[in-house]
Amino acid sequence: MSVPIRRRRLAAIALASVAVIATASACGDDSSDKSSGDGPVTLVVDVFGDQGFGYDELYRQYESEHPNVKIQERGKGLGLADYNTRLTQQITAGSGAGDVVALEEGTIVQFYPQSAKFVNLADHGANDLKGNFLSWKWEQGTTPDGKVLGLGTDVGSMALCYRTDLFKAAGLPTDREQVAALWPTWDEFIATGQRFATADKKHKFVDSATNFYNVVLMQIAGAGSGHTYYDKSNKLVIGENADIKTAYDLTTKMIAAGLSNNLQSFSNEWNAGFKNGTFATIACPAWMTGVIKGQAGESAAGKWDVAKAPGNGGNWGGAFLAVPKSSKHPKEAAELAKFLTSAKGQTEAFKKVGNLPSSPQALSDPAVVGSTNAYFTNAPVGKIFAAGASELKPVYLGPKNNAVRTAVENTLRAVEQGKSAEEQWQAALKNGAAAGK
């Protein structure tokens, strides 16, 4: 959920609060039989992101159907980087993690070598559910030796969200079909941005160069190499994968055209950019609609719309639910994870926060496909994002993907600040290689 890369805003208060929570259900004990029978069970679910995963109603339903189970969620509002650092420490220590924990798509691979510290969900009937997930999503949640590490929650899919009021003022069409026709390719997206910039000297066309880069890279890699910084043997190939350079060059071209608002995603300044309406477009996976609404507020309702993204496919975000071995209630935790990631659970999460299901059954549910979003000018978000999901091609993300990506993003921010694009590309190669070792 996913909400998921997605999602680095520093949340010191949330981090401090989870540090002092000490629940019996999250303490480390690696014994294999820790189910508490018929006694009361408290299950802690660890999530991340401003919006969380949209599970509140699902928790209430599960508790109603399982009177011996109480569910405590923690982590909502916590940025992904802080969440992942905490979770990595907890899994390594064998204590402190929740009974059910979210693993983001960009970090799940790093936990493959630690699969012995997670419950193999196949031991709790997960293999019978394989058909409930997109095939590539199922594969991402399964370790190379066949253990089911996590069950998929959402996928990012991809669209473009845009401000209709700013487009209108700049003399651009506002109808979502006409807008999509402006940018069948990313080069034409940049050309549209240049038209916008000529007409509007006050606002920028895109929020962030790094968001643009990552979306373009995932789409190009999906259609090309099938991986980014690591190949599927986990060899670091940052200097060998031409898809990376193609995405980098498109991004620096966009920066050179003066189209970026130079904002770092999930920073206070980025949040303020939504509130103040300082940029006109943003790369928009399904979960981003909840972020935009939360940050831009009700005063911007009806000013945003959703159109097809340039090119085909692409993904940003998505997550899995796993059960650490440190849980005192692995059986109950596995059952809860199965419930939350069921087609019904994913459909409810989509309706609550916009997280697009990874379940084919949920993706074809009329409640998803027929969904519209009043905040986004009644855009047919279910149809748009479900179509994007059907075009989605999986991209392999290696064990230190986030660290390498951050190193590359930092060089793009330097280009935004006026540094040479060619010099920063060399820095990206050097710093990315160092981060990936």
Side-chain angles (χ1 to χ4, degrees), residues 146-416:
K147 295 178 181 177
V148 181
L149 177 61
L151 296 175
T153 59
D154 61 317
V155 294
S157 190
M158 191 52 60
L160 258 293
C161 290
Y162 64 99
R163 287 280 299 248
T164 56
D165 56 336
L166 299 184
F167 269 47
K168 181 178 180 179
L172 296 174
T174 59
D175 174 80
R176 63 184 67 93
E177 297 294 335
Q178 294 177 2
V179 168
L182 292 172
W183 53 52
T185 68
W186 288 109
D187 277 317
E188 287 169 295
F189 176 81
I190 293 173
T192 301
Q194 290 173 312
R195 286 178 57 190
F196 178 89
T198 298
D200 186 335
K201 305 299 183 182
K202 182 178 179 182
H203 304 92
K204 293 296 185 179
F205 191 59
V206 302
D207 65 319
S208 159
T210 53
N211 281 351
F212 179 90
Y213 164 76
N214 285 307
V215 169
V216 172
L217 174 60
M218 292 295 282
Q219 189 182 93
I220 291 174
S225 64
H227 59 265
T228 57
Y229 306 112
Y230 295 83
D231 65 19
K232 292 184 180 180
S233 69
N234 286 334
K235 176 187 175 184
L236 187 65
V237 291
I238 184 172
E240 303 167 33
N241 186 352
D243 294 341
I244 299 171
K245 185 63 162 62
T246 299
Y248 200 94
D249 286 348
L250 272 168
T251 306
T252 55
K253 178 180 178 181
M254 184 267 295
I255 295 171
L259 306 185
S260 174
N261 205 181
N262 299 3
L263 299 174
Q264 183 171 345
S265 299
F266 308 103
S267 65
N268 291 335
E269 293 78 11
W270 187 74
N271 294 338
F274 286 109
K275 293 180 175 64
N276 299 326
T278 61
F279 53 85
T281 72
I282 184 170
C284 200
W287 54 264
M288 184 65 79
T289 59
V291 175
I292 293 171
K293 182 177 179 180
Q295 295 300 334
E298 289 302 322
S299 63
K303 295 180 179 179
W304 284 93
D305 207 330
V306 186
K308 185 181 183 299
N312 293 305
N315 188 62
W316 177 12
F320 303 80
L321 297 184
V323 177
K325 279 277 186 73
S326 57
S327 170
K328 288 187 177 294
H329 312 293
K331 178 181 177 181
E332 292 86 350
E335 291 302 313
L336 176 59
K338 287 159 60 176
F339 171 76
L340 295 173
T341 59
S342 67
K344 179 180 179 181
Q346 293 190 34
T347 299
E348 290 301 315
F350 172 78
K351 290 193 290 186
K352 182 67 176 178
V353 295
N355 290 347
L356 189 71
S358 63
S359 160
Q361 294 84 352
L363 283 170
S364 62
D365 189 316
V368 175
V369 179
S371 175
T372 60
N373 192 317
Y375 188 90
F376 288 84
T377 321
N378 292 316
V381 290
K383 180 181 178 180
I384 292 170
F385 288 117
S390 69
E391 298 176 338
L392 210 163
K393 294 181 175 63
V395 176
Y396 180 75
L397 304 175
K400 293 186 178 180
N401 173 78
N402 279 5
V404 178
R405 187 189 67 189
T406 298
V408 175
E409 287 178 348
N410 288 340
T411 68
L412 287 169
R413 293 191 187 100
V415 176
E416 286 182 312

Side-chain angles (χ1 to χ4, degrees), residues 77-145:
L78 188 63
L80 176 60
D82 293 326
Y83 172 86
N84 194 57
T85 297
R86 185 194 73 188
L87 180 63
T88 300
Q89 294 168 345
Q90 292 167 336
I91 295 302
T92 300
S95 65
D99 298 280
V100 177
V101 299
L103 305 178
E104 201 265 345
E105 62 144 8
T107 61
I108 190 171
V109 175
Q110 78 180 58
F111 291 107
Y112 285 176
Q114 294 180 287
S115 62
K117 294 194 174 186
F118 289 88
V119 171
N120 180 3
L121 295 175
D123 295 338
H124 296 275
N127 281 334
D128 295 336
L129 307 175
K130 184 175 181 179
N132 293 352
F133 301 89
L134 296 170
S135 59
W136 64 267
K137 187 74 172 183
W138 176 266
E139 291 170 10
Q140 276 189 329
T142 305
T143 64
D145 60 355

Side-chain angles (χ1 to χ4, degrees), residues 68-85:
N68 67 316
V69 173
K70 299 298 178 186
I71 302 170
Q72 174 189 352
E73 184 184 88
R74 61 184 185 179
K76 187 183 295 183
L78 188 63
L80 176 60
D82 293 326
Y83 172 86
N84 194 57
T85 297

